[in-house]
Amino acid sequence: MAAPRTTPTRKVLGRLSLPERTFVADALRTETVGGVLLLLASVTALVWVNVPALHDSYESVSHFRFGPETLGLDLSVAHWAADGLLAVFFFVAGIELKRELVAGDLRDPGTAALPVVAALCGMAVPALVYALTNLIGGGSLAGWAVPTATDIAFALAVLAVIGTSLPNALRAFLLTLAVVDDLCAILIIAVLFTDDFDFAALGAAFAGLAVFWLLLRKGVRGWYVYVPLALVVWGLMYNSGVHATIAGVAMGLMLRCARREGEDRSPGEHIEHLVRPLSAGLAVPLFALFSAGVAVSGGALGKVFTQPETLGVVLGLVVGKAIGIFGGTWLTARFTRASLSENLAWPDVFAVASLAGIGFTVSLLIGELAFEGDRVLTDSVKAAVLTGSLVAAVLATVLLKVRNAKYRALWAAEERDDDLDGIPDVYEQDDPAYHLRMAAIYERKAAEHRRLAEVAGGAGDGDDGPA
């Protein structure tokens, strides 16, 4: 009689596959460097603005305009950074999302449910916290989307400093969650912050995207074909009234990220490898340089906690993000067949969820769009984003430090490679060749111990003779 078939229990934040682990490690390495550069750019902007002798020069550089006026692209430096350079960041985000959908964890609906639910809850709860704060305090609801975004570069930079022993599964969870978060933020920008459509320009932009897709499907190669076309599509998208960063993510999603036979890397992975340093090392830091320039004083910081709009942003980032992401993860484990990995505890998940409250890059962008035309409130909201992100980073640091001893043990177990073949042992438990190698290693060690024991025994026998 056949044994009854049982449905295996899926582990929440269980061990990654080896290819996924390698991809995550490479991505984290680049994002960490980008996070450090982002931090340096932000500090530079704050110093530049708040030193009286330098303040005017920051304003002059930030508002300096250049570009072809006949094409509607005579923009300020700050505008070029937000609409132009940030499109590169969203292009990489689009490739990351496409890769996750076709080759990563998101290709499996059961596995994808966890980061998707966590990301959605991590956006809905901060928006609700902001709305409640402003309804009670009589503030504006226009900024409800500001605390919904997570800055992956900053979050991973914090991990690089304080979470060196963090299990790969938790790192991958944060990375995947941030990719989904970025997509949702892009949709918010596209739907809610587009006032006037130019349908001719929008139609031309879609035609350019269709040409881009067709060239990819025909296998046409050469940066000299795609870069000019991408610039044209970006310019048309900007003039259509839709935020220009949408062009970046659309082109990223079109790239093929599934490997074919004989390929070491898919075209999407290859292009991401080339463009990611440009995004993390130049585009995002320059955006931060011209967006984080907020005048900071004791009075200004005090207003962050007294104005309903700014208080809502801070509470949304610090409280809403942590509760939303942790709650979404717990609900997934509670109401599905998934269960938390036996190597982790729920405080581990909460510690990582608190990191998502670092909502710098996209939060600053949404803050500018939400309160466009009100310079004073825009600067106050930027100060609130900086404050909330700092508080979330400090809170996450404390929580991760408390859990770090356990993380070190988990990391050591994941990295152990006793047979020295370059593959961690946890991935070879079902490989007979691995056990044969280990048996040979243990036999050599046993032989060495027997030899040492015989030598020690011989020396002991010699000691019994006369001096």
Side-chain angles (χ1 to χ4, degrees):
M1 182 176 178
R5 181 179 299 176
T6 59
T7 302
T9 301
R10 184 169 54 83
K11 295 295 182 184
V12 174
L13 304 179
R15 189 173 69 241
L16 301 176
S17 64
L18 188 57
E20 187 71 9
R21 176 187 174 205
T22 303
F23 169 78
V24 168
D26 292 340
L28 291 173
R29 199 171 294 117
T30 306
E31 292 286 6
T32 298
V33 175
V36 173
L37 294 175
L38 183 60
L39 177 60
L40 292 175
S42 304
V43 172
T44 301
L46 290 170
V47 172
W48 195 354
V49 167
N50 289 280
V51 173
L54 301 176
H55 178 82
D56 291 341
S57 63
Y58 180 87
E59 293 293 325
S60 299
V61 173
S62 182
H63 294 96
F64 178 77
R65 304 180 71 88
F66 67 96
E69 188 173 356
T70 54
L71 298 178
L73 297 174
D74 180 25
L75 310 177
S76 67
V77 171
H79 207 159
W80 275 111
D83 284 48
L85 290 177
L86 213 55
V88 179
F89 166 79
F90 281 112
F91 175 70
V92 174
I95 299 175
E96 288 177 339
L97 179 64
K98 179 66 174 290
R99 187 205 164 276
E100 290 295 331
L101 288 170
V102 301
D105 285 345
L106 296 183
R107 73 185 185 278
D108 175 18
T111 306
L114 176 63
V116 170
V117 171
L120 292 177
C121 292
M123 299 185 79
V125 176
L128 181 61
V129 169
Y130 177 92
L132 289 175
T133 303
N134 282 269
L135 286 173
I136 295 171
S140 171
L141 295 177
W144 66 268
V146 175
T148 60
T150 294
D151 191 295
I152 186 59
F154 249 147
L156 294 179
V158 173
L159 280 186
V161 176
I162 61 172
T164 53
S165 302
L166 195 69
N168 285 309
L170 279 172
R171 290 173 179 262
F173 170 67
L174 181 62
L175 182 65
T176 307
L177 180 144
V179 170
V180 178
D181 189 292
D182 284 340
L183 175 64
C184 294
I186 291 165
L187 294 175
I188 289 173
I189 292 171
V191 174
L192 299 180
F193 298 108
T194 300
D195 296 326
D196 299 319
F197 283 109
D198 183 332
F199 288 100
L202 185 62
F206 279 120
L209 289 172
V211 173
F212 188 89
W213 180 84
L214 186 62
L215 291 174
L216 289 173
R217 291 301 172 272
K218 293 294 183 181
V220 176
R221 299 192 176 189
W223 65 267
Y224 46 83
V225 174
Y226 291 102
V227 172
L229 178 58
L231 292 174
V232 170
V233 171
W234 176 88
L236 290 169
M237 190 69 74
Y238 174 82
N239 282 289
S240 72
V242 177
H243 201 270
T245 53
I246 304 302
V249 74
M251 287 184 279
L253 286 169
M254 289 182 181
L255 294 174
R256 177 171 63 82
C257 293
R259 299 180 189 181
R260 292 176 179 171
E261 187 175 354
E263 288 184 337
D264 293 330
R265 286 188 296 189
S266 66
E269 291 173 312
H270 175 66
I271 293 173
E272 181 190 13
H273 177 74
L274 296 176
V275 179
R276 186 189 286 272
L278 176 63
S279 169
L282 181 66
V284 176
L286 280 178
F287 168 76
L289 181 64
F290 293 106
S291 292
V294 180
V296 178
S297 64
L301 291 176
K303 290 182 180 178
V304 166
F305 296 97
T306 56
Q307 287 183 295
E309 293 88 355
T310 52
L311 180 60
V313 169
V314 173
L315 292 178
L317 289 173
V318 177
V319 179
K321 272 289 183 182
I323 292 177
I325 292 172
F326 178 83
T329 308
W330 184 85
L331 288 172
T332 303
R334 174 67 178 81
F335 294 105
T336 69
R337 294 182 180 275
S339 63
L340 188 67
S341 173
E342 61 273 7
N343 293 323
L344 298 172
W346 285 111
D348 300 321
V349 181
F350 186 80
V352 174
S354 64
L355 265 180
I358 304 175
F360 191 80
T361 306
V362 182
S363 288
L364 289 175
L365 176 61
I366 295 177
E368 290 180 351
L369 296 172
F371 297 104
E372 190 174 11
D374 190 338
R375 179 63 183 275
V376 175
L377 188 52
T378 297
D379 285 349
S380 297
V381 168
K382 286 183 178 181
V385 170
L386 295 175
T387 303
S389 298
L390 178 61
V391 173
V394 171
L395 175 63
T397 298
V398 173
L399 294 174
L400 288 170
K401 282 294 184 182
V402 170
R403 305 295 299 174
N404 210 40
K406 182 171 184 176
Y407 290 148
R408 277 196 297 270
L410 289 174
W411 182 84
E414 286 187 351
E415 298 296 319
R416 187 171 180 173
D417 184 18
D418 287 339
D419 61 341
L420 303 177
D421 66 342
I423 300 175
D425 295 340
V426 293
Y427 293 99
E428 299 184 292
Q429 296 303 309
D430 297 328
D431 183 2
Y434 161 76
H435 293 286
L436 290 174
R437 289 194 300 272
M438 291 305 301
I441 291 171
Y442 289 135
E443 181 57 36
R444 286 197 298 270
K445 290 182 178 179
E448 179 64 18
H449 285 303
R450 284 193 294 269
R451 186 186 69 79
L452 292 174
E454 290 171 359
V455 170
D461 292 341
D463 290 342
D464 293 336

